[in-house]
Amino acid sequence: MHKNNMKRVEMNDPFAICHQGLDEFNRENYQSAFEHFMKAAKLGDVEACYRVGFMHLCGDHVEKDQGKAMKHLEEAAIRGHPCARHKLGCEERMNGNIERSVKHWIIAAAQGHVISTKHLMHEFRCGMVRKDDLATALRAHQAALDATKSPQREAVEEARRKNGQANVYSF
């Protein structure tokens, strides 16, 4: 780990602790990763809340626990994590709560989550989403994407594509 990040971990910086958890996860040290994610989540890191929830949901190297998973995913979603919001929509859909799943996906799409837009379009084709609701969600999605565009971000993305690098935070 980088020396500066280690200092930040020692000072209980939740972002640095979550980043350390990601490093541990990538090194396949899953127990340590989970412990770092838990600590960062308790300190308020939204990404860590999502990671803990996802690990519990899948039983991904920790005890599978639907209740704990939903608690952490809901916390992350409330605090604006689009992947957590999307996952809540998926869980609602699997439980047959289509109306609730659509609401989650509309919110996630408005936060720029691409896969949520695809789910909404599928549900539209199945007659579960109204045309005006889909159009509103797609406009909000585009606005979210436009708000994050910058020459610097585009240069980084292009460099990643050329080097075959995936998003550091993909899970």
Side-chain angles (χ1 to χ4, degrees):
M1 178 193 306
H2 192 270
K3 185 175 156 182
N4 287 339
N5 199 48
M6 195 62 187
K7 285 182 184 178
R8 290 176 56 203
V9 168
E10 291 168 3
M11 295 176 64
N12 281 335
D13 177 335
F15 180 81
I17 295 167
C18 183
H19 191 271
Q20 176 64 28
L22 291 168
D23 288 345
E24 294 293 331
F25 192 91
N26 290 334
R27 286 194 291 269
E28 298 181 4
N29 188 353
Y30 302 115
Q31 186 58 41
S32 178
F34 182 75
E35 290 167 8
H36 281 88
F37 292 149
M38 279 297 294
K39 184 175 182 179
K42 287 178 184 174
L43 292 170
D45 187 88
V46 68
E47 180 68 23
C49 285
Y50 169 69
R51 301 292 172 152
V52 170
F54 195 84
M55 288 178 84
H56 273 302
L57 187 66
C58 300
D60 195 9
H61 309 288
V62 297
E63 173 190 3
K64 189 172 186 173
D65 188 320
Q66 183 78 11
K68 289 179 182 177
M70 298 309 284
K71 174 186 169 252
H72 288 284
L73 290 173
E74 287 170 0
E75 175 68 24
I78 288 167
R79 295 182 52 223
H81 198 287
C83 295
R85 181 66 68 180
H86 172 77
K87 192 63 186 155
L88 288 173
C90 293
E91 290 301 304
E92 291 292 354
R93 183 66 175 94
M94 287 192 320
N95 292 328
N97 300 323
I98 297 169
E99 190 173 318
R100 286 178 57 108
S101 68
V102 166
K103 287 179 182 178
H104 283 298
W105 291 332
I106 287 172
I107 294 167
Q111 294 172 323
H113 196 269
V114 175
I115 299 170
S116 291
T117 63
K118 294 179 188 293
H119 284 287
L120 288 170
M121 287 188 277
H122 171 77
E123 294 297 342
F124 170 73
R125 287 190 293 274
C126 294
M128 304 309 290
V129 175
R130 296 179 325 167
K131 185 176 183 177
D132 59 327
D133 289 339
L134 178 63
T136 301
L138 292 176
R139 279 192 300 275
H141 174 75
Q142 188 60 52
L145 294 182
D146 291 344
T148 63
K149 287 185 181 176
S150 73
Q152 295 86 355
R153 285 180 189 234
E154 290 174 10
V156 168
E157 288 300 317
E158 181 63 27
R160 281 188 179 151
R161 277 192 291 276
K162 285 182 180 177
N163 293 327
Q165 293 177 335
N167 184 343
V168 166
Y169 292 105
S170 62
F171 201 69

